[in-house]
Amino acid sequence: MAYINVSSPSSRAILQISTASISTTSSGFVVPALQDITVSNSNGSFSWTQLDSTSQLSVATPSTNQISGNIVVDDTTFFTGGNGVDGIFDLSGNKSKVYFRVYFNGKTTGSKFISGSGYITNLAPKVSPTAPVWVTPVQITVDGDLTAGSVA
């Protein structure tokens, strides 16, 4: 068993987004200043009771998947974008479908990632006198399945 340690610069958790399918580690752009990230794969269920049983019965239903996290707002990535991809604010506002990879331990050969596509939602930039740098939550509501892979 090997734990995934993200404390070194070459093994950090990374969020990469693009408006086209991601085929390499240089497609689209990497979201800088990622504070935290969560990959949620929530299988649904439908439960019912019937008169001939003293227990509830259940079946699995489609998953509701999402990627969520918090970022320190970088004006280029948030407003302008890069590498032919609009900024995060416009991707959300224009309801553009994005493709993403969440790298668990950097982008070197053999590194693990989860990929998919979806829509950026829930932006809520915030700043205050005691936290004088803009931060915002960001969520990608996944359209379809999440897929696991490794960097080739």
Side-chain angles (χ1 to χ4, degrees), residues 73-81 86-90 125:
V73 174
D74 168 82
D75 62 342
T76 301
T77 306
F78 195 74
F79 292 106
T80 309
D86 287 341
I88 292 171
F89 183 78
D90 286 341

Side-chain angles (χ1 to χ4, degrees), residues 23 25 101 107-111 113 149-152:
S23 58
T25 57
R101 282 186 180 177
K107 297 194 303 182
T108 58
T109 301
S111 295
F113 63 82
S150 296
V151 177

Side-chain angles (χ1 to χ4, degrees), residues 14-18 20-30 83 99-103 107-108 113 115 150-152:
I14 297 169
L15 173 60
Q16 176 185 9
I17 60 174
S18 181
S21 182
I22 297 176
S23 58
T24 69
T25 57
S26 61
S27 300
F29 63 82
V30 169
N83 206 11
Y99 297 83
F100 64 85
R101 282 186 180 177
V102 176
Y103 296 91
K107 297 194 303 182
T108 58
F113 63 82
S115 63
S150 296
V151 177

Side-chain angles (χ1 to χ4, degrees), residues 4-137:
I4 300 173
N5 183 338
V6 298
S7 63
S8 76
S10 64
S11 65
R12 291 193 178 129
I14 297 169
L15 173 60
Q16 176 185 9
I17 60 174
S18 181
T19 51
S21 182
I22 297 176
S23 58
T24 69
T25 57
S26 61
S27 300
F29 63 82
V30 169
V31 177
L34 193 61
Q35 291 184 299
D36 60 72
I37 190 160
T38 303
V39 178
S40 299
N41 179 309
S42 301
N43 289 320
S45 64
F46 174 76
S47 300
W48 72 94
T49 57
Q50 49 193 59
L51 295 174
D52 63 348
S53 177
T54 58
S55 298
Q56 226 177 20
L57 304 167
S58 299
V59 294
T61 61
S63 298
T64 301
N65 302 318
Q66 69 181 21
I67 307 300
S68 59
N70 290 286
I71 60 171
V72 177
V73 174
D74 168 82
D75 62 342
T76 301
T77 306
F78 195 74
F79 292 106
T80 309
N83 206 11
V85 179
D86 287 341
I88 292 171
F89 183 78
D90 286 341
L91 290 171
S92 177
N94 296 335
K95 298 170 183 62
S96 301
K97 187 171 196 173
V98 297
Y99 297 83
F100 64 85
R101 282 186 180 177
V102 176
Y103 296 91
F104 276 62
N105 54 332
K107 297 194 303 182
T108 58
T109 301
S111 295
K112 305 294 185 191
F113 63 82
I114 290 178
S115 63
S117 63
Y119 300 90
I120 295 176
T121 62
N122 294 344
L123 297 177
K126 175 182 171 180
V127 70
S128 72
T130 57
V133 178
W134 285 95
V135 295
T136 185

